[in-house]
Amino acid sequence: MASRDARPLIAHVMYRFDVGGLENGVVNLINHMPPDAYRHVIIALTEITDFRQRIRRDDVEFIALNKRPGHALWNYPRLFRLFRKLRPSIIHTRNLAALELVVPAWAAGVPVRIHGEHGRDVGDLDGSNRKYQWVRRFYRPFVTYYIALSRDLEDYLTDTVGMARTEVAQIYNGVDAERFFPAARREQIRDCPFTGEDLWLVGTVGRMQTVKNQTDLAKAFIAALRMAPELKSAMRLVMVGDGPLRAASLALLEQAGCADLAWLPGERGDVPEILRGLDCFALPSLAEGISNTILEAMASGLPVVATDVGGNRELIEEGMTGTLVSSGDVQAMAREIVALARNRERAQDMGRAGRLAVERKYSMAAMVRQYQGLYDHCLAARAR
């Protein structure tokens, strides 16, 4: 039965609702959108974890489908009934794994079906996978509108997949600049063994999965110490997050004899405080959409050394807010880390410039305004 609440309902659909950039963007959008504008339900194809506690509103429903691997075709009758029961005005699927749900939503009469492209994974790092292109083309008739988080993804949808420019909106992630802010002086990270004021901490935060490629940062740290042995007394590595690459990174550091200079605590819930405890942020990803962690690091006043993939080039102003290196070029990342460690004043100048860029271009208010405007526009167009 449909709710008597007059606010339109948005069904946000994703593969899994857990710690991650995509999911963090959904949290920020719901938490910052005016509560009288829309109701929200979060649908995860697989599971919903304690990450749901990040949602501050008490009127958001959570539904985990516990789907098994493979196509959701056999679940279409169940999904049809779910959408008929919920009667959302909008379904907003995110990334390829959730795209197929636009079909049962269409069959159930959901009037607006929006699909968002947030980034790429290891199976399609450069967007050249023809199978994935054809999958997107197959579902195109069931999609009302597309959202691309970066210009890179917008060009992929229009130039490679073949969507019309009028069907695609490009909307950058926003960052919570009140939650992520610079420290007057580097703060002490809770439980971190590196406490000296003379130390210089380079670090990263994120899921330790193949596409994030944290092992290259471990290799770059090892290479940096070999390039500049005088930095061994001051430079330390912090890698926050969990996943298969955590053990692999630890093994690399132990083999190189510098595990005592690194701290890998696993997943943490105090990311803003951790960023305020770093001097430099590094991101060695193989692929990105618009990186939430880069925006959070910039908002925290940190210089960024990142790989030149996806939308990273759109966020980092070369030489002003950070530097870009080729994906997989461990030596180049090591050189940039060494350069900033040797010139702390330049690193701090980059961090200040990054904070100003966030305030100017990547505010939470701007992101929410664009999403809400698109939702309003699509509903109004449907009504007409």
Side-chain angles (χ1 to χ4, degrees):
M1 178 180 285
S3 170
R4 294 181 181 179
D5 194 321
R7 296 172 299 166
L9 176 66
I10 303 174
H12 303 272
V13 183
M14 62 215 74
Y15 182 74
R16 187 169 185 256
F17 195 62
D18 196 5
V19 176
L22 182 158
E23 297 81 2
N24 191 58
V26 176
V27 167
N28 285 334
L29 180 61
I30 292 175
N31 283 346
H32 290 84
M33 186 175 287
D36 60 348
Y38 289 95
R39 293 179 295 129
H40 305 271
V41 56
I42 291 176
I43 301 174
L45 273 67
T46 53
E47 63 177 329
I48 291 173
T49 70
D50 289 344
F51 188 70
R52 63 183 289 174
Q53 295 172 5
R54 287 281 310 279
I55 297 286
R56 295 198 296 263
R57 289 174 53 167
D58 59 8
D59 61 344
V60 177
E61 186 177 358
F62 298 87
I63 299 173
L65 300 177
N66 299 309
K67 172 183 169 294
R68 293 180 179 179
H71 199 278
L73 178 63
W74 304 113
N75 292 316
Y76 276 8
R78 175 191 174 196
L79 293 166
F80 174 86
R81 292 191 296 271
L82 176 63
F83 291 131
R84 292 288 286 181
K85 176 185 176 182
L86 294 173
R87 294 199 176 277
S89 299
I90 298 170
I91 179 176
H92 185 164
T93 58
R94 288 167 166 86
N95 274 352
L96 189 61
L99 177 56
E100 60 184 308
L101 267 70
V102 297
V103 175
W106 164 82
V110 179
V112 175
R113 300 166 303 278
I114 294 173
H115 180 66
E117 292 285 347
H118 287 244
R120 303 194 182 101
D121 212 329
V122 289
D124 191 22
L125 292 175
D126 60 358
S128 62
N129 188 308
R130 291 187 178 273
K131 175 186 174 182
Y132 294 160
Q133 294 170 21
W134 280 108
V135 168
R136 288 176 170 89
R137 291 177 191 130
F138 175 82
Y139 289 108
R140 179 180 179 181
F142 305 98
V143 177
T144 308
Y145 214 88
Y146 295 87
I147 296 175
L149 263 66
S150 66
R151 291 195 299 269
D152 172 65
L153 289 170
E154 180 185 22
D155 291 341
Y156 168 72
L157 286 175
T158 56
D159 299 344
T160 304
V161 181
M163 311 304 179
R165 290 273 175 185
T166 54
E167 297 175 349
V168 183
Q170 191 269 307
I171 302 177
Y172 285 123
N173 281 340
V175 62
D176 189 341
E178 294 182 0
R179 184 167 177 249
F180 294 91
F181 59 87
R185 298 175 62 185
R186 176 165 53 78
E187 296 181 358
Q188 173 61 37
I189 302 172
R190 179 173 53 87
D191 301 328
C192 180
F194 308 137
T195 58
E197 291 187 3
D198 59 328
L199 297 179
W200 194 83
L201 276 61
V202 57
T204 195
V205 176
R207 295 176 293 114
M208 301 194 77
Q209 303 287 344
T210 302
V211 72
K212 298 302 181 182
N213 198 31
Q214 285 95 341
T215 48
D216 266 13
L217 178 55
K219 293 175 185 176
F221 179 73
I222 295 166
L225 293 176
R226 290 172 180 164
M227 286 179 190
E230 76 278 6
L231 293 175
K232 190 171 184 178
S233 62
M235 192 162 65
R236 300 291 183 267
L237 175 64
V238 174
M239 301 175 74
V240 174
D242 207 358
L245 295 193
R246 181 170 174 240
S249 298
L250 273 169
L252 286 168
L253 293 161
E254 288 171 356
Q255 186 178 5
C258 55
D260 59 326
L261 305 182
W263 184 56
L264 287 77
E267 188 176 312
R268 297 275 293 229
D270 55 344
V271 173
E273 292 77 15
I274 286 170
L275 291 176
R276 286 194 289 276
L278 299 179
D279 295 290
C280 176
F281 185 82
L283 192 72
S285 304
L286 299 174
E288 286 288 345
I290 287 296
S291 169
N292 280 292
T293 53
I294 285 181
L295 288 173
E296 290 165 358
M298 290 169 61
S300 302
L302 296 177
V304 178
V305 179
T307 47
D308 190 3
V309 297
N312 290 356
R313 177 173 288 274
E314 299 170 41
L315 300 182
I316 298 171
E317 187 176 355
E318 180 66 38
M320 294 296 293
T321 63
T323 57
L324 294 164
V325 300
S326 298
S327 178
D329 194 339
V330 169
Q331 295 299 313
M333 179 163 281
R335 284 193 296 272
E336 296 300 338
I337 290 171
V338 166
L340 291 175
R342 283 174 168 167
N343 192 340
R344 300 189 184 192
E345 185 175 340
R346 178 171 177 258
Q348 291 168 356
D349 287 343
M350 284 183 168
R352 284 189 285 267
R355 173 68 189 192
L356 291 174
V358 163
E359 293 173 349
R360 187 175 67 251
K361 298 169 62 177
Y362 306 109
S363 72
M364 192 66 68
M367 180 194 76
V368 172
R369 184 170 60 249
Q370 290 180 79
Y371 272 99
Q372 186 174 341
L374 180 63
Y375 293 151
D376 294 346
H377 168 77
C378 288
L379 282 178
R382 177 67 179 178
R384 289 196 299 270

